[in-house]
Amino acid sequence: MATYKIELIVKPKAGVRDPQGEAVDGAVKGLEVKGVKVHQVGRYLSMDVDARSTDEAKRIVDDLCKRLLVNPNLETYTARVEGA
Amino acid sequence: MATYKIELIVKPKAGVRDPQGEAVDGAVKGLEVKGVKVHQVGRYLSMDVDARSTDEAKRIVDDLCKRLLVNPNLETYTARVEGA
Amino acid sequence: MNPRPKAAVIVFPGSNGDRDIAESFERAGFAPVYVDSRETAPADTKVVGVPGGFSYGDYWRAGMLARYAPAMRALPEFVAKGGLVIGVCNGFQILVEAGLLPGALTYNNPPGFKHKWVTVEARETKQKSPWLTRVPRGMKLRWPMAHGEGNYYHPDGWDAIADNVPFVYDRNMNGSIGNTAAMLDSTGRVFGVMPHPDRATDPHIGSNDGALIFESAHDAVAQGLA
Amino acid sequence: MKPDLHNAGINMGLKPHELDHIEKQLGREPSLPELAVFAGMWSEHCSYKSSRSRLAMMPREAPYLLAGPGSHAGAVDVGEGWAVAFKIESHNHPSAVEPYQGAATGVGGILRDVIAQGARPCLVMDSLCFGPPHDAKSRHIAQGVVAGIAGYGNAIGLPNVGGKTVYDTRYEGNPLVNAMAAGLVRHDGMRTARAQGVGNAVVYAGASTGRDGILGAAFASVELGEDTTEKRSHVQVGDPFTGKKLMEACLSFGPELGLVACQDMGACGLTCAASEMAALGGVGIDLDLDAVPLREDGMEPFEVLVSESQERFLFVVEAAKAAEAVKHFEHYGVHAAVVGKVVAGGQFRALSQGSVVVDLPAALVADGAPKLNWPEAAALPPVAEYAEFSPPKDLGKPLLRMLSEPGIADLTNLYDHYDHTVGNRTVRGPGEADAAVMKLPGSARGFALTITGRGELCAVDPYRGALAALGEATRNLACVGAPIMAITDGINHGPPSDPVENRRLTETIRGLADGLKALGIPVTGGNVSLYNATAEGAIPPSPMVGAIGVVDDVSRVPRGELAADLALILCGTPLATPMTSAYGRIASGQLAGSNVSVDLAADKRLANLLVDAIRRGMVSFAKDAGAGGLLTALAKGCVRGRMGATISWTFEGRLDWHFFGETSGVAWVGVAPRFADAFLAMAKTCGVAAMRLGSSGGNRLSIKTGESSVLDISVDALRKAFTANERGAA
Ligand SMILES: Nc1ncnc2c1ncn2[C@@H]1O[C@H](COP(=O)(O)OP(=O)(O)O)[C@@H](O)[C@H]1O
Ligand SMILES: [Mg+2]
């Protein structure tokens, strides 16, 4: 068993309306900052996962995303696994 | 001028209580998933920044964080810059 | 008779308590005027209200953006010249974000938006505040709270703010240190409050306890103190 | 019609006879985008094709009705020059798929109906039916739905002032989410959807258009390209921030700025708004799809036409003022564009890249769906009686059980997600009285609203169940001193293609129609949601009734919580015989019982009495008996007021049915002892049986019948039972 550090990023699925992203982009434009385009706003989550291998850690995270952390109707996610 | 892709993560500062992280951790425990410990919940943002160099892109992002996106009383941030 | 003193209510996109605070000013004897956040309050304004709501949608972080609005940028000078400012709920968040009040407001603990009629108790503060002259220390008042990010935090802890906290909840509602429900600046003229005195100025609707706040400010203006 | 085209139409949900009808009416084959237009507009949701003729049974006229069915939201005169516009809308299927966004967009949608009427929204209410809270999936749906209603309503700044929540296995997998909104408008400030004035501009305002809510399955055909349905259709996402900016922009955009007509873009989006406005005005509309603000690349014309992106309005604006109108909306921070014009004739046309892609008679699109006459069963299947069970010796145990039953138990944890007080009009919010009471601006006058629905009763007898819902609405309003004046209804039913379900639909509507006639009040509009079923079967018929009445003086409104030292009077005559009820279900363990007790005449007499006594300022406490019966009602009053009561009385028949049955026309009233005799005399005049049975005080609820004590329990124990089921409330 080892402990893996996971960083999870959950963001709006392509094409799905992202009111937060739009609002933050509008906010940046409102500050008269040029050359910046905000695309998406999402959530970040860090966790420790006990597992026997990177693969198993990934599986645990995938399962958790499916069951709890990610809404597949609206969101996609990427998980970065850092070694033990 | 080139366009840099930036991924920004804003999370609770060490020592600041993170009720959202605690709630998610509680929900994970509620699923009877063992060996997972959720540490922090934060926010994620992706943007494009026009700049002459990676350094300039970073400066623009730092400035934006200071002025708008990060509350230094509560939060820290990391920005990943992907090349043009 | 003197004309009613002007109370400016700043309206941001997404503000939704602007009418509530304007009505409360009006009942206390002020003439409320709405000021678009892109403009500045009229020159003869004595009192400014920063209303509750979800300015800019409260996206990313509540109150984050409002401080850059022209109406807000004018506030430090207005206060320095003796003007009075109240921020309720989202208005409190905005005043904190703008640096007019210390500390920070973050996610409720437990998390989530919550509405509740709450009891707050008045405390002694270092600075006498024109917002509180009608509220004796120890008085208990009933106001509704309605927020998701009302958890007051200060990096230096309770001791750093204890002298400036005019109201505490009778029990912890949202995780705030010391049950902090409101905050004064060092002049006492800037008053931020998380529950809603502006929704407690009509005896028909639950409580009239909020009227004291607006009446105190009216006294101050009438006596030429603001 | 070419087989390809025919298949495309069928895939979009059109029926063969409808395709034939389209071809015959047009005298030609429709184009693919035209088929999409028909598929959207002739869907059950937009066309009411299965229910329209039956809905006409309901009375829809009254002198105080300022806008009736067919308008955006019906409106009634509440005095002092004010009208209240109000309406119910369902978002059942979207909420089943995506609870948060489904419910949030349901709130956004019903608000836009009120805004389109010209009214400033001032409240939201919601009627929810979920599967039981012990079921994890149902709990997930319930939590998402409540969070979605809260997320939208709180942010846009509207108080949620009450509702109804039901938990029943029969809603597992098919929750019902009905939202009601109400708004205030001056009599002369009402708006129309009637497009007029050839040459006038059609102006789009609000969020940009994406591929939201396009029925993926309907368009998954090769002809439409290689894209997967996944890519083509997204869940509708609500944005209360845009909704708020749009609301303010719309409400400040009046005739003086060139407004001629307006309509929100809800189901079937741009197509519905444009074709209905044209049909109402007897004119044509040309839309330039290239001018529509888009969020996504590569959208096809039909996608732009039927997209259900949220937070959008369509306006007809005087030609000369169109540019100014666009500026007006931009000032409020919302996109706006001139997207078309009013033309002579009656065609609804859409142009894309210079070519006409849709050219259809607006009336055919908007109102031309052939009625669907589904076969109807001759009778409903019989319902079994409850099996015999012996009465409890003591009322304590069953009372605690009733108080903790989900749906009867405390809902504070649910409705405290909602802001109840923003807007400074809420005289009585959730948990404070049987109906919500709101104040008019600058006045002691107000109005009351309630929303209710009893699927449990309708499952047994839809006709009497519908009457019972009207009865409960009448009593709830009466308990705050408001005579019932009009309703909006949300009809939630199983598929009419099933003859039994279709018969139930007829019975429900007949019940509502007869009940409204008996009460002498109209329906102002409503919503029909059919096809609510899962593999396990159809939901019980679940008509929701949203009712309104005027309160003359809000300072006299009693509370639903008991205060000290009141004389307690029972009004009405409870029956002590078995009847369909929450108690029957719990005690017998059966979803049965064939006897739905209802007596609208008794409810009306009771209401007359309560309204009169409340207007005179005599009543401190009033609570009608609904689900759980009269003892549960009194116990709730005790818990909410943290106050005991002592009751003693003798009666005939079974103790348990007496106290837990759900007889019509029954309510508790608490008056200061000095008013008791006068109240009893008034009751006599009104033809209501009334008995003074005891008084409030202490911290126990005690009941004696004859010499024997049948209940003696601390209010604390009642409260524990009432608030125990924290999980029940989302
Ligand atoms: N979905 C809901 N949204 C808002 N308020 C609700 C909802 N469901 C119930 N309520 C409120 O909760 C309170 C209790 O509901 P209920 O048990 O049906 O009525 P009562 O206890 O008054 O007989 C009522 O004031 C009602 O308006
Ligand atoms: Mg009731």
Side-chain angles (χ1 to χ4, degrees):
Chain A
M1 268 313 192
T3 300
Y4 294 84
K5 291 207 169 308
I6 314 278
E7 292 203 310
L8 181 71
I9 288 167
V10 181
K11 45 188 165 183
K13 226 159 77 166
V16 169
R17 189 161 161 204
D18 174 17
Q20 284 218 67
E22 287 169 31
V24 177
D25 189 52
V28 171
K29 300 263 182 319
L31 288 185
E32 288 169 27
V33 175
K34 285 202 191 95
V36 174
K37 164 85 199 137
V38 172
H39 287 300
Q40 288 191 305
V41 167
R43 282 173 293 133
Y44 162 88
L45 204 140
S46 71
M47 55 187 158
D48 281 355
V49 173
D50 293 341
R52 258 174 290 264
S53 66
T54 313
D55 273 2
E56 198 195 21
K58 264 207 159 274
R59 261 202 311 281
I60 294 174
V61 173
D62 282 338
D63 180 57
L64 217 49
C65 286
K66 223 176 273 161
R67 288 171 67 195
L68 183 73
L69 301 174
V70 178
N71 180 341
N73 288 326
L74 301 169
E75 300 169 326
T76 59
Y77 68 95
T78 50
R80 290 198 191 103
V81 185
E82 262 178 55
Chain B
M1 269 308 192
T3 300
Y4 294 84
K5 290 204 171 311
I6 314 281
E7 291 202 312
L8 179 71
I9 288 167
V10 178
K11 47 189 163 182
K13 219 159 82 169
V16 175
R17 191 142 177 218
D18 175 19
Q20 299 206 98
E22 289 168 31
V24 176
D25 191 52
V28 170
K29 301 268 183 309
L31 291 181
E32 290 169 26
V33 175
K34 285 202 191 96
V36 174
K37 167 81 201 140
V38 173
H39 288 300
Q40 288 192 303
V41 169
R43 293 188 298 264
Y44 163 88
L45 189 145
S46 71
M47 56 185 158
D48 281 357
V49 173
D50 293 340
R52 256 174 290 263
S53 66
T54 314
D55 273 1
E56 197 194 21
K58 265 207 159 269
R59 258 202 313 281
I60 293 174
V61 172
D62 282 339
D63 180 56
L64 214 52
C65 286
K66 217 175 282 160
R67 287 175 67 196
L68 191 70
L69 299 174
V70 178
N71 182 336
N73 277 319
L74 300 166
E75 301 166 327
T76 59
Y77 68 96
T78 51
R80 291 199 190 103
V81 185
E82 263 178 53
Chain C
M1 219 181 83
N2 283 336
R4 296 175 148 238
K6 253 182 212 145
V9 175
I10 304 179
V11 184
F12 301 93
S15 291
N16 65 35
D18 40 330
R19 283 154 196 267
D20 301 358
I21 201 168
E23 277 177 23
S24 296
F25 276 129
E26 187 158 19
R27 286 195 192 101
F30 288 97
V33 288
Y34 294 106
V35 175
D36 188 311
S37 63
R38 290 167 289 193
E39 286 151 21
T40 49
D44 55 346
T45 301
K46 302 288 188 207
V47 175
V48 168
V50 189
F54 286 63
S55 59
Y56 304 93
D58 266 6
Y59 289 129
W60 192 256
R61 191 178 74 241
M64 154 182 99
L65 199 60
R67 77 178 119 142
Y68 292 105
M72 287 300 299
R73 287 180 188 249
L75 283 190
E77 196 190 325
F78 173 76
V79 175
K81 288 190 176 152
L84 308 187
V85 179
I86 182 173
V88 180
C89 199
N90 192 224
F92 185 12
Q93 292 163 341
I94 290 169
L95 292 178
V96 166
E97 284 281 336
L100 286 156
L101 290 171
L105 286 154
T106 185
Y107 303 106
N108 289 357
N109 187 17
F113 184 97
K114 194 173 180 83
H115 177 280
K116 202 103 205 154
W117 279 89
V118 295
T119 302
V120 295
E121 189 180 327
R123 294 176 73 249
E124 190 68 44
T125 52
K126 194 157 137 217
Q127 303 294 333
K128 293 285 160 271
S129 170
W131 289 103
L132 303 170
T133 46
R134 291 195 181 205
V135 184
R137 181 178 55 159
M139 187 178 194
K140 297 204 162 142
L141 303 104
R142 260 171 63 73
W143 297 334
M145 70 166 233
H147 58 251
E149 296 178 46
N151 178 351
Y152 186 86
Y153 175 80
H154 194 286
D156 303 329
W158 170 250
D159 290 345
I161 54 163
D163 282 347
N164 289 339
V165 176
F167 292 105
V168 290
Y169 302 103
D170 66 345
R171 64 201 160 93
N172 201 294
M173 296 307 306
N174 51 21
S176 293
I177 50 173
N179 295 0
T180 298
M183 182 61 62
L184 292 171
D185 76 343
S186 58
T187 70
R189 291 197 292 271
V190 181
F191 172 52
V193 55
M194 211 57 216
H196 283 276
D198 58 326
R199 297 188 196 170
T201 58
D202 177 343
H204 287 141
I205 52 180
S207 155
N208 200 23
D209 292 352
L212 298 172
I213 302 290
F214 299 93
E215 288 163 0
S216 296
H218 191 265
D219 292 347
V221 173
Q223 293 158 13
L225 300 176
Chain D
M1 206 174 287
K2 278 193 224 84
D4 283 7
L5 201 61
H6 184 89
N7 287 343
I10 298 290
N11 283 337
M12 292 177 195
L14 286 162
K15 306 241 167 344
H17 75 273
E18 290 169 345
L19 290 168
D20 291 346
H21 188 72
I22 290 168
E23 195 164 14
K24 204 174 304 143
Q25 292 294 312
L26 295 182
R28 63 174 168 85
E29 282 195 341
S31 69
L32 212 53
E34 286 174 342
L35 270 189
V37 162
F38 282 115
M41 289 300 293
W42 289 11
S43 68
E44 191 64 55
H45 187 84
C46 290
S47 72
Y48 293 79
K49 60 192 171 188
S50 298
S51 59
R52 209 175 348 155
S53 46
R54 280 173 283 185
L55 292 174
M57 287 194 283
M58 288 192 258
R60 40 181 70 194
E61 263 156 40
Y64 48 79
L65 190 62
L66 303 178
S71 358
H72 302 294
V76 293
D77 180 1
V78 293
E80 298 184 0
W82 289 106
V84 172
F86 69 118
K87 193 171 178 221
I88 286 185
E89 181 123 308
S90 65
H91 240 209
N92 304 334
H93 291 142
S95 303
V97 176
E98 173 48 47
Y100 185 98
Q101 294 296 348
T105 54
V107 172
I110 190 60
L111 289 177
R112 284 193 296 280
D113 266 330
V114 170
I115 295 165
Q117 194 69 41
R120 171 170 284 279
C122 66
L123 66 86
V124 173
M125 297 176 85
D126 54 323
S127 182
L128 310 174
C129 300
F130 302 124
H134 58 73
D135 170 48
K137 182 131 187 281
S138 297
R139 210 165 56 238
H140 168 80
I141 291 176
Q143 284 167 349
V145 164
V146 170
I149 292 171
Y152 205 98
N154 296 345
I156 204 164
L158 289 169
N160 185 312
V161 295
K164 180 83 190 166
T165 309
V166 167
Y167 301 89
D168 185 320
T169 46
R170 289 167 289 192
Y171 300 108
E172 230 174 280
N174 196 128
L176 301 184
V177 177
N178 286 216
M180 176 162 90
L184 283 166
V185 53
R186 300 300 295 172
H187 288 183
D188 57 7
M190 252 150 4
R191 306 223 167 127
T192 171
R194 195 173 300 119
Q196 268 168 346
V198 169
N200 278 343
V202 176
V203 173
Y204 170 115
S208 47
T209 297
R211 292 185 178 93
D212 307 333
I214 297 169
L215 287 174
F219 298 102
S221 61
V222 263
E223 300 93 304
L224 299 176
E226 305 292 32
D227 293 9
T228 61
T229 56
E230 174 92 352
K231 242 172 148 178
R232 284 205 167 272
S233 178
H234 310 302
V235 170
Q236 303 164 34
V237 172
D239 177 7
F241 178 45
T242 299
K244 168 71 171 162
K245 291 186 289 185
L246 185 58
M247 173 169 95
E248 296 301 335
C250 288
L251 291 174
S252 57
F253 181 64
E256 67 290 352
L257 298 177
L259 171 72
V260 175
C262 71
Q263 174 141 348
D264 62 300
M265 289 192 243
C268 208
L270 197 50
T271 291
C272 182
S275 66
E276 285 191 1
M277 286 166 101
L280 268 174
V283 294
I285 281 184
D286 276 3
L287 285 182
D288 174 8
L289 299 182
D290 302 331
V292 173
L294 300 181
R295 192 183 76 234
E296 292 184 74
D297 293 334
M299 286 183 69
E300 305 214 16
F302 87 88
E303 293 178 312
V304 178
L305 279 164
V306 302
S307 159
E308 296 184 359
S309 288
Q310 298 291 299
E311 285 91 31
R312 302 181 303 161
F313 270 95
L314 200 63
F315 297 88
V316 173
V317 179
E318 287 168 32
K321 294 185 173 166
E324 280 302 308
V326 169
K327 280 208 193 106
H328 170 87
F329 286 99
E330 284 172 349
H331 174 80
Y332 280 88
V334 295
H335 301 296
V338 175
V339 297
K341 58 176 187 288
V342 176
V343 295
Q347 290 295 106
F348 166 58
R349 303 202 312 159
L351 291 87
S352 171
Q353 318 255 308
S355 62
V356 176
V357 293
V358 168
D359 188 355
L360 300 168
L364 179 67
V365 172
D367 307 309
K371 283 181 195 165
L372 264 178
N373 293 311
W374 298 101
E376 215 176 289
L380 293 179
V383 178
E385 284 298 345
Y386 291 123
E388 286 283 326
F389 58 89
S390 44
K393 282 193 216 52
D394 171 292
L395 292 169
K397 241 191 178 168
L399 177 58
L400 294 177
R401 175 72 183 77
M402 297 303 288
L403 282 173
S404 62
E405 172 70 8
I408 293 176
D410 189 30
L411 289 164
T412 312
N413 286 335
L414 185 154
Y415 57 66
D416 278 359
H417 289 100
Y418 305 148
D419 193 331
H420 321 157
T421 52
V422 58
N424 265 349
R425 302 208 178 292
T426 312
V427 177
R428 294 286 181 277
E432 295 176 347
D434 271 352
V437 180
M438 308 297 285
K439 246 176 82 129
L440 290 178
S443 167
R445 197 179 170 85
F447 59 95
L449 281 160
T450 179
I451 185 167
T452 186
R454 293 301 303 282
E456 184 164 10
L457 305 183
C458 292
V460 167
D461 184 338
Y463 178 80
R464 293 174 72 79
L467 290 176
L470 288 169
E472 182 165 357
T474 306
R475 296 192 305 270
N476 281 345
L477 290 178
C479 283
V480 296
I484 189 168
M485 153 186 223
I487 70 155
T488 171
D489 64 316
I491 292 175
N492 305 273
H493 258 259
S497 46
D498 174 334
V500 171
E501 292 305 325
N502 198 34
R503 175 62 193 243
R504 290 195 166 115
L505 181 58
T506 303
E507 295 295 314
T508 295
I509 298 174
R510 205 166 59 79
L512 289 174
D514 286 356
L516 289 170
K517 285 174 199 152
L519 294 168
I521 60 166
V523 66
T524 65
N527 180 258
V528 178
S529 164
L530 304 178
Y531 301 98
N532 291 288
T534 63
E536 310 297 314
I539 59 153
S542 307
M544 311 294 182
V545 170
I548 189 169
V550 172
V551 176
D552 288 345
D553 179 352
V554 297
S555 67
R556 301 198 158 174
V557 176
R559 295 182 176 273
E561 55 199 56
L562 206 49
D565 302 322
L566 300 176
L568 284 172
I569 296 169
L570 178 68
C571 300
T573 312
L575 301 175
T577 51
M579 66 190 92
T580 312
S581 54
Y583 174 73
R585 166 170 49 82
I586 292 166
S588 74
Q590 287 172 299
L591 297 172
S594 62
N595 175 19
V596 174
S597 159
V598 59
D599 181 351
L600 275 188
D603 287 324
K604 215 174 148 179
R605 287 194 301 272
L606 173 71
N608 290 339
L609 167 65
L610 288 176
V611 169
D612 194 12
I614 290 168
R615 279 186 183 154
R616 291 167 197 245
M618 293 164 69
V619 183
S620 307
F621 166 78
K623 181 126 195 62
D624 79 310
L630 67 98
L631 185 55
T632 308
L634 181 61
K636 283 186 179 184
C638 290
V639 171
R640 294 199 174 120
R642 295 170 184 266
M643 182 59 55
T646 309
I647 298 290
S648 94
W649 124 62
T650 10
F651 57 88
E652 308 264 288
R654 252 173 74 156
L655 185 71
D656 51 347
W657 287 114
H658 195 87
F659 279 103
F660 297 120
E662 297 175 15
T663 316
S664 298
V666 178
W668 290 101
V669 169
V671 302
R674 66 179 192 282
F675 292 133
D677 288 339
F679 184 89
L680 292 172
M682 284 171 66
K684 200 161 204 178
T685 318
C686 291
V688 177
M691 290 178 290
R692 182 172 175 176
L693 296 182
S695 53
S696 59
N699 51 18
R700 301 183 77 76
L701 176 57
S702 312
I703 301 184
K704 266 199 199 159
T705 78
E707 284 309 297
S708 53
S709 161
V710 292
L711 182 75
D712 182 30
I713 196 165
S714 74
V715 174
D716 235 30
L718 296 176
R719 198 185 50 246
K720 276 202 189 102
F722 189 54
T723 56
N725 198 351
E726 293 236 330
R727 278 190 135 182

